[in-house]
Amino acid sequence: MDLHTVTEVISPASPGQWRPGDAWLGGGTALFGEPRPHVSRLLDLTAAGWPPLTVRDDGVEIAATCTIAELAEGLRGYGIVRQCCHAFLASFKIWNVATVGGNLCAALPAGPMISLTAALDGTCVLIGPDSRERRVPAADFVTGEGTTVLRDGELLRAIHLSGSLLSMRTAYRRGSLHRHGRSAVLLIGRADPAGGISLTVTAATRRPYVFRFPDPPSADEVEAALDTIPADQYVDDVHGRPVWRRHLTRHYAAQIRTELAA
């Protein structure tokens, strides 16, 4: 952590204060993780006072500044939330600092909050420097490794999850080269009331891929869907080679199909 170019911290900060060279600050676990020579000011969102979780008739709104610990505690009744929180494999220190919004905005393939919100058809609420709001499906928020749909000066305000989707039956699979290693493959399946399923592929790929089957799919249908992922979209780094990630993706997808069909 050596942000020696930062000359000022604005706390609390609001959308209209943004200017070129600014960076929105949540928990900071990603922001402080590498040099940011272009950043001259930090705009602190943690002091904005946003409620971590707001329960509504149509679901729950997760503030971008909600910490992993607050999410795990507030939605502890939902198994898929607990599983994705534990996918961090982080200490209590990280759980109490890292934020849901920060994990999405960092756009790392292994980000488990990306997996969770994409699998549950979450909606990201974005606010621009002119205070205008727009909404983007969580599955479309991350566009690649370290890239998102955020425009200059735009911030992630919250993520909305439908209460009905939170309560649906899910199947979870996570793979890593090491027991306590970073996620190399993370798949989540969701059984829909009408009988179909959705399958979300993350960690193995540079961005989330969500496949929807209106009826229970056959093994061949799942394989055909996975074949649409371009070969160059599988991540290649020290946490796993593309051919292994691709193989494990198919292996887990087959398990999830069988589990949800039971």
Side-chain angles (χ1 to χ4, degrees):
M1 177 179 157
D2 187 15
L3 302 185
H4 57 81
T5 57
V6 173
T7 59
E8 189 177 5
V9 178
I10 308 299
S11 180
S14 60
Q17 293 175 289
W18 184 89
R19 70 188 189 196
D22 288 351
W24 297 108
L25 172 63
T29 54
L31 181 62
F32 297 152
E34 58 185 72
R36 311 276 179 177
H38 63 286
V39 175
S40 58
R41 294 199 314 172
L42 297 178
L43 303 182
D44 181 21
L45 295 176
T46 61
W50 300 337
L53 297 169
T54 303
V55 178
R56 299 176 176 172
D57 292 339
D58 60 346
V60 60
E61 182 177 277
I62 306 170
T65 52
C66 175
T67 65
I68 305 308
E70 290 169 332
L71 180 69
E73 174 62 24
L75 299 180
R76 62 182 180 275
Y78 300 100
I80 190 60
V81 174
R82 183 176 64 255
Q83 289 170 315
C84 287
C85 287
H86 282 286
F88 275 96
L89 297 177
S91 70
F92 71 93
K93 297 179 182 179
I94 298 297
W95 267 44
N96 283 281
V97 175
T99 61
V100 176
N103 193 245
L104 268 76
C105 292
L108 299 176
M113 296 298 98
I114 300 172
S115 310
L116 174 68
T117 56
L120 296 182
D121 290 348
T123 300
C124 295
V125 181
L126 314 180
I127 300 178
D130 57 359
S131 296
R132 291 186 180 180
E133 181 181 298
R134 68 181 179 116
R135 293 173 178 262
V136 176
D140 298 332
F141 180 77
V142 174
T143 58
E145 288 186 82
T147 62
T148 69
V149 298
L150 286 171
R151 300 165 181 165
D152 285 347
E154 208 168 32
L155 63 87
L156 173 60
R157 169 61 182 85
I159 305 96
H160 180 268
L161 298 180
S162 166
S164 60
L165 294 182
L166 264 171
S167 302
M168 288 183 184
R169 189 161 60 97
T170 58
Y172 170 97
R173 295 292 188 281
R174 174 187 174 278
S176 173
L177 285 175
H178 307 284
R179 181 179 180 184
H180 299 294
R182 177 179 295 182
S183 299
V185 180
L186 202 162
L187 271 66
I188 297 174
R190 191 186 75 222
D192 296 326
I197 73 168
S198 67
L199 178 67
T200 300
V201 178
T202 56
T205 52
R206 302 180 190 281
R207 65 169 180 84
Y209 283 85
V210 181
F211 302 101
R212 306 181 193 281
F213 304 92
D215 300 303
S218 66
D220 288 342
E221 288 174 323
V222 172
E223 283 282 340
L226 295 176
D227 282 341
T228 65
I229 300 177
D232 62 0
Q233 283 297 302
Y234 283 95
V235 178
D236 184 3
D237 61 17
V238 296
H239 301 288
R241 296 306 181 194
V243 64
W244 175 71
R245 291 179 192 258
R246 183 177 183 274
H247 166 75
L248 206 55
T249 295
R250 279 158 169 69
H251 177 66
Y252 286 157
Q255 290 184 346
I256 288 174
R257 186 193 74 86
T258 301
E259 180 177 332
L260 292 182

